[in-house]
Amino acid sequence: MAKDCPAIAIDHLELYVGNAKQSAYVYQQQFGFALTAYRGLETDTTSPLRENRHTASYLLEQGDVRLVISGGLTPATPIGDWVKRHGDGVAVIAFQVEDAHEAYHLAVDRGAIPAVQPTTLDDGLGYFRYAAIQAYGDILLKFVERSPNTTAFAPGFRALSSLTGDMPPLRDHHPLFSQVDHVVANVEAGKMDYWTQFFRDVLGFELLVQFDDRTITTGQSALMSKVLQDPTGRIKLPINEPGQGHKTSQITEFLHYHQGPGVQHVALQTSDIIQTVHWLKTQGVRFLQPPPLYYETVEARVGAIAEDLEQLRTLGILVDRDRQGYLLQIFTEPLSDRPTLFFEIIQRNGAIGFGEGNFKALFTSIEREQEKRGNSYIN
Ligand code: FE2
């Protein structure tokens, strides 16, 4: 029988970065997020605990996607240490739960390493309860519970509409992204099964699908992947490990620059990928380009689709089909200097897969970028 899973949905993802103010601006400017709240020195002048004197956090929202961008203000902050080691990246995956206290104790009883004891904050408008356990690398899984009558994100955050003063919001029409589709981790060779078992045993997730290194190979390098999901299928967490190959796999390159396992990409769902990618490109977002011959075989492989293939080719959007339908997807270049975290933009027209038919094309594109970085062979 499946184990109880306390996670209801992804509540938010928290990124630790070197300069939160500038990163938040980029996610607004380039990716269309709305800055809705801020927590930092200015919001914590009266609290007796003065707990926010060491970090600054910006809450960015779009559809149901919530990113918290956090930076350290002094050299000794945990965020500063994290960023020094890993670079900018996703440090916390936060799950919405019914009872953070119970979720935490359930997970710890099932073998999770405790990271943050259950803590309740109450600013008089409603309570906010959280706790966290350790996941792969230095990534935390956080359980978040809010009192039913509150609409605020968390105590200490003050509403803020923009980082640009009087400038109007960048996107006041409908959001580009509706929700987080999946969050992918890269772990060390031989650790995929360990973390798969962890999510099954500790959090009650189920194995949705797996790909071995014969499926995911470019002929030069390979990787293996297992996809975990909560029993409702709302939360999907693929886990990759490097496979055997002649060249350094993209996973090994990630592990090298991230200094260990971590979040490789966050897939954001859109209902209109053509319009979304067009807008992102006008804002300067750079995407991986499919290999030149990719579109020659698309029609034969996926059959009829509603979108204009020529438009997809112009924008570099990939197409794949499974038994349930088809999907369209595209991948950004890394979001910071280190070749680590990137975004995937995905539109699902029925398909429930991850673009398996595109793996080879995608990884060939990544290998081309790796070659430009001189990282085809890392020892
Ligand atoms: Fe993906």
Side-chain angles (χ1 to χ4, degrees):
M1 207 189 97
K3 281 193 170 184
D4 288 347
C5 173
I8 299 166
I10 291 181
D11 187 86
H12 66 273
L13 300 171
E14 183 168 10
L15 282 76
Y16 287 174
V17 300
N19 186 337
K21 192 176 203 171
Q22 290 190 357
S23 289
Y25 183 72
V26 167
Y27 289 114
Q28 284 186 90
Q29 186 80 30
Q30 287 204 306
F31 291 94
F33 281 90
L35 176 66
T36 53
Y38 164 77
R39 184 181 65 191
L41 293 174
E42 299 84 347
T43 69
D44 193 42
T45 52
T46 53
S47 154
L49 292 175
R50 313 209 97 195
E51 67 264 38
N52 300 325
R53 305 304 292 170
H54 305 287
T55 62
S57 293
Y58 297 80
L59 174 64
L60 300 172
E61 298 189 73
Q62 189 163 190
D64 288 337
V65 184
R66 279 199 286 212
L67 303 179
V68 176
I69 313 291
S70 296
L73 303 178
T74 52
T77 60
I79 295 179
D81 289 342
W82 198 98
V83 172
K84 185 179 175 192
R85 187 167 162 78
H86 304 295
D88 292 6
V90 175
V92 180
I93 300 172
F95 297 125
Q96 182 199 332
V97 298
E98 249 172 50
D99 185 328
H101 206 268
E102 194 182 284
Y104 171 84
H105 287 292
L106 189 69
V108 171
D109 286 349
R110 290 169 174 176
I113 298 172
V116 180
Q117 296 279 333
T119 307
T120 304
L121 303 174
D122 197 332
D123 58 3
L125 300 170
Y127 70 81
F128 176 79
R129 190 169 292 144
Y130 65 96
I133 55 169
Q134 200 69 49
Y136 35 75
D138 290 330
I139 311 300
L140 298 186
L141 299 177
K142 195 168 182 176
F143 303 118
V144 172
E145 173 199 350
R146 294 183 187 84
S147 55
N149 50 355
T150 183
T151 52
F153 177 71
F157 278 82
R158 189 184 294 165
L160 194 67
S161 60
S162 166
L163 280 171
T164 49
D166 293 334
M167 228 173 87
L170 280 162
R171 288 188 57 81
D172 47 7
H173 46 109
H174 93 245
L176 300 168
F177 309 117
S178 52
Q179 61 183 38
V180 172
D181 189 273
H182 56 277
V183 179
V184 181
N186 286 343
V187 300
E188 307 95 323
K191 286 291 170 68
M192 178 180 65
D193 284 334
Y194 173 85
W195 289 108
T196 301
Q197 209 52 45
F198 170 89
F199 277 97
R200 296 172 90 166
D201 290 348
V202 169
L203 290 172
F205 277 52
E206 296 165 356
L207 180 64
L208 173 66
V209 62
Q210 56 185 318
F211 307 101
D212 63 23
D213 47 2
R214 288 184 303 271
T215 319
I216 318 183
T217 179
T218 61
Q220 298 285 343
S221 73
L223 65 90
M224 294 184 275
S225 189
K226 287 189 175 176
V227 181
L228 282 308
Q229 69 171 6
D230 74 300
T232 70
R234 282 183 78 180
I235 309 169
K236 292 190 174 68
L237 304 175
I239 300 174
N240 301 328
E241 72 172 35
Q244 289 295 321
H246 168 62
K247 283 187 177 175
T248 299
S249 85
Q250 48 159 314
I251 312 303
T252 305
E253 189 197 33
F254 174 98
L255 294 168
H256 177 80
Y257 284 95
H258 194 271
Q259 290 287 295
V263 174
Q264 178 211 38
H265 75 267
V266 175
L268 302 170
Q269 226 180 78
T270 177
S271 58
D272 187 343
I273 198 167
I274 290 177
Q275 203 193 2
T276 296
V277 172
H278 182 76
W279 190 85
L280 294 172
K281 284 197 166 189
T282 61
Q283 301 307 110
V285 175
R286 292 171 62 96
F287 293 93
L288 294 182
Q289 283 303 308
L293 296 176
Y294 176 81
Y295 293 95
E296 305 286 309
T297 56
V298 163
E299 248 173 332
R301 189 164 55 81
V302 300
I305 56 169
E307 288 72 15
D308 174 22
L309 202 57
E310 210 35 57
Q311 263 187 313
L312 299 180
R313 185 204 298 266
T314 306
L315 293 168
I317 295 167
L318 308 175
V319 197
D320 197 26
R321 184 179 285 282
D322 60 24
R323 266 188 233 146
Q324 285 78 10
Y326 68 94
L327 62 80
L328 304 161
Q329 62 187 167
I330 192 167
F331 300 83
T332 71
E333 289 185 356
L335 297 167
S336 60
D337 298 318
R338 298 195 200 195
T340 51
L341 177 67
F342 58 88
F343 281 146
E344 170 182 350
I345 317 299
I346 183 167
Q347 178 186 326
R348 292 187 181 277
N349 289 45
I352 58 164
F354 297 86
E356 295 83 292
N358 290 322
F359 283 170
K360 191 168 180 200
L362 167 65
F363 299 150
T364 304
S365 303
I366 294 179
E367 274 180 7
R368 235 181 13 225
E369 296 298 312
Q370 244 177 287
E371 214 166 293
K372 285 188 202 162
R373 296 190 283 261
N375 285 335
S376 294
Y377 301 94
I378 295 177
N379 291 315

